C-alpha cells in the first residue's frame, strides 16, 4: 500500500526556509548577559553557563550550500604542522588544514571566553573576539575595575604547576595564548601592575652592562656604550650578549656552568670555556619558536643555584617539565640583561 503523507507532520517548504533564516539570527544579550564583538562582558559567578536554546529546523539544501561555501574558507587558513601525523588520518598528512578547537590559531570573528584573575584572587569571565590583544584587554579591565589609568597595567601568563610566569606583549592575542594551554592545566591570566614593562625603552643602557656586550663594543670602538645600545634599539635589533649561565641537565636537578652567547641566529653555549670559535659553539635554543618565562620557585621545584632563574619554553611543549630549557643567572642584573635581550630578539 502506498504511504499517505500527513501534512501535520511535514511543514511546508516555506516554513522550513523561514526556520533556516531564523536560526541564522542571533538575539542580542539581555540584561546581565555577556557583551559581544571584543567588548568584554562579565558572567554572574555561581549561576553556571547561560541557558542553551533549542535549535531551529534547517533547510537541507541550504545547509549543503553553506558547507560548500565554508570549504574554501577553511582551506585558506594557514597550514599547521601536525606533531603526530601517524595518528591523524589515513593519508598520514603532516599538515592540519583545519585544526580542532583548542589547537592552532583561533578563527577570526568567533567569540571566546577568557578568565582573568586579580591579585586578590577574584576572577572575571570576559567574552572577547579572536583578535583582542593584551593591551586592549588591559584597557577594558581598567575601565571595569575603575582602576587608575596608567601604562603599568599588564596581563601576566601564569603556569602555577611549573612556577613560570611572563608578561604578555601589548600586541599578543590573548585567545591565541590561551589556546596553547593544555586542557585542565593550572594556567591562568593575572591582571596586575608591572612597572618594569617599558623599562627597556627608558633606561636601556643600564640593562646591558658593558661586560655583557663587550664584543659589540670592540667592533664599534668609536661609539660610547650608551650610544651603541641606543643604535641597536633604533634599528629594532638586538646586541650580541654573552656571559656565564647555569644550565639544568634534562631530567635531573644537576646544574652546570656554561658560557652563553646570543647571536642573530640564536642562542649558543661554548663547550670549551669562553671560546667563541664556531667549532666550540653548541646551538641551544630557537627563540623565535619559544616564550621566555621567569621562574618564581626555582629552588623548590628545580633546585636552582640562585633565585634568578628563567626558562625557555618552546611552543611545542604544552605541559610538563620535559622539554623546558631551565637557566639560572648569578644575579638580578645579569638576568635582566638576558631577558631584555631575548625580548628584543623576538619582537624588536
Amino acid at each position: 500500500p502506498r504511504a499517505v503523507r500527513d501534512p501535520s507532520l511535514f511543514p511546508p517548504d516555506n516554513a522550513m526556509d523561514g526556520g533556516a533564516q531564523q536560526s541564522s539570527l542571533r538575539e542580542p544579550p539581555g540584561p546581565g548577559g555577556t557583551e559581544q564583538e571584543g567588548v568584554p562582558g562579565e558572567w554572574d559567578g555561581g549561576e553556571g553557563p547561560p541557558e542553551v536554546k533549542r535549535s531551529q529546523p534547517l533547510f537541507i539544501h541550504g545547509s549543503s550550500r553553506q558547507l560548500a561555501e565554508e570549504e574554501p574558507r577553511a582551506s585558506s587558513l594557514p597550514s599547521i604542522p601536525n606533531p603526530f601525523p601517524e595518528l591523524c588520518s589515513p593519508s598520514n598528512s603532516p599538515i592540519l588544514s583545519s585544526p580542532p578547537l583548542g589547537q592552532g590559531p583561533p578563527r577570526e570573528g568567533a567569540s571566546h571566553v577568557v578568565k582573568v584573575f586579580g591579585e586578590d584572587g577574584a576572577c572575571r569571565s570576559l567574552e572577547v573576539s579572536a583578535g583582542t590583544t593584551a593591551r586592549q584587554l588591559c584597557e577594558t579591565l581598567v575601565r571595569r575595575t575603575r582602576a587608575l589609568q596608567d601604562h603599568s597595567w599588564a596581563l601576566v601568563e601564569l603556569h602555577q604547576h611549573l612556577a613560570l610566569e611572563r608578561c604578555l606583549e601589548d600586541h599578543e592575542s590573548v585567545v591565541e595564548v590561551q589556546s596553547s594551554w593544555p586542557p585542565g592545566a593550572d594556567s591562568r591570566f593575572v591582571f596586575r601592575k608591572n612597572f618594569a614593562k617599558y623599562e627597556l625603552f627608558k633606561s636601556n643602557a643600564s640593562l646591558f652592562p658593558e661586560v655583557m656586550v663587550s664584543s659589540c663594543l670592540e667592533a664599534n670602538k668609536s661609539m660610547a656604550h650608551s650610544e651603541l645600545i641606543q643604535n641597536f634599539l633604533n634599528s629594532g635589533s638586538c646586541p650580541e650578549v654573552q656571559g656565564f649561565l647555569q644550565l639544568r641537565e634534562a631530567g635531573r636537578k644537576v646544574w652546570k656552568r656554561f658560557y652563553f652567547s646570543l647571536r642573530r641566529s640564536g642562542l649558543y653555549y661554548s663547550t670549551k670555556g669562553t671560546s667563541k670559535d664556531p667549532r666550540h659553539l653548541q646551538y641551544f635554543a630557537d627563540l623565535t619558536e619559544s616564550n621566555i618565562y621567569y621562574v618564581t620557585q626555582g629552588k623548590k621545584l628545580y633546585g636552582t643555584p640562585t633565585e634568578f632563574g628563567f626558562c625557555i619554553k618552546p611552543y611545542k611543549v604544552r605541559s610538563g617539565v620535559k622539554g623546558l630549557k631551565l637557566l639560572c643567572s648569578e644575579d638580578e642584573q645579569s638576568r635582566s640583561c638576558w631577558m631584555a635581550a631575548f625580548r628584543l630578539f623576538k619582537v624588536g
Side-chain angles (χ1 to χ4, degrees), residues 107-328:
R107 288 191 175 186
E108 293 293 337
S111 60
H112 304 263
V113 175
V114 174
K115 291 185 177 180
V116 182
F117 289 80
E119 292 186 285
D120 58 355
C123 175
R124 289 175 177 267
S125 295
L126 310 172
E127 187 172 357
V128 300
S129 65
T132 301
T133 65
R135 186 62 192 171
Q136 291 172 340
L137 190 58
C138 284
E139 292 174 350
T140 301
L141 287 168
V142 167
R143 292 194 302 267
R144 297 293 296 272
T145 59
R146 295 181 175 85
L148 180 63
Q149 175 67 44
D150 58 32
H151 297 292
S152 60
W153 288 107
L155 197 64
V156 177
E157 179 188 6
L158 177 63
H159 299 287
Q160 298 183 96
H161 59 296
L162 298 175
L164 303 179
E165 67 175 40
R166 74 179 183 98
C167 177
L168 267 65
E169 298 292 343
D170 287 346
H171 66 273
E172 287 191 77
S173 166
V174 293
V175 175
E176 187 173 345
V177 173
Q178 182 175 261
S179 67
S180 68
W181 301 344
D186 190 14
S187 304
R188 59 175 59 181
F189 288 125
V190 179
F191 177 61
R192 70 186 186 202
K193 287 195 173 186
N194 179 11
F195 295 101
K197 184 177 180 180
Y198 300 111
E199 192 67 22
L200 173 62
F201 307 101
K202 297 178 181 178
S203 56
N204 44 66
S206 62
L207 289 175
F208 296 94
E210 294 187 18
V211 67
M212 297 187 68
V213 292
S214 57
S215 59
C216 294
L217 291 174
E218 291 175 3
N220 300 271
K221 295 181 179 180
S222 60
M223 287 189 183
H225 172 234
S226 58
E227 182 183 1
L228 177 66
I229 300 302
Q230 189 61 50
N231 284 347
F232 276 108
L233 291 177
N234 294 339
S235 63
S237 58
C238 174
E240 183 176 328
V241 177
Q242 63 274 325
F244 282 101
L245 290 172
Q246 297 276 355
L247 170 63
R248 183 179 185 264
E249 290 189 10
R252 303 175 60 190
K253 288 188 178 182
V254 177
W255 294 77
K256 292 186 177 181
R257 194 168 182 256
F258 291 95
Y259 192 78
F260 280 80
S261 296
L262 178 61
R263 300 188 169 188
R264 294 181 180 179
S265 54
L267 183 63
Y268 298 81
Y269 68 90
S270 177
T271 58
K272 187 177 180 180
T274 59
S275 174
K276 297 181 182 179
D277 192 303
R279 297 174 300 173
H280 303 144
L281 291 181
Q282 178 67 41
Y283 186 75
F284 182 68
D286 182 6
L287 300 179
T288 60
E289 296 295 327
S290 307
N291 282 321
I292 318 300
Y293 295 81
Y294 287 94
V295 178
T296 58
Q297 300 179 34
K299 288 191 174 182
K300 179 180 179 180
L301 292 183
Y302 307 112
T304 56
T306 69
E307 296 288 351
F308 312 108
F310 56 95
C311 173
I312 301 175
K313 183 176 180 291
Y315 295 156
K316 62 183 180 181
V317 177
R318 292 177 60 84
S319 63
V321 179
K322 186 177 180 181
L324 299 181
K325 300 180 183 297
L326 294 161
L327 299 164
C328 189

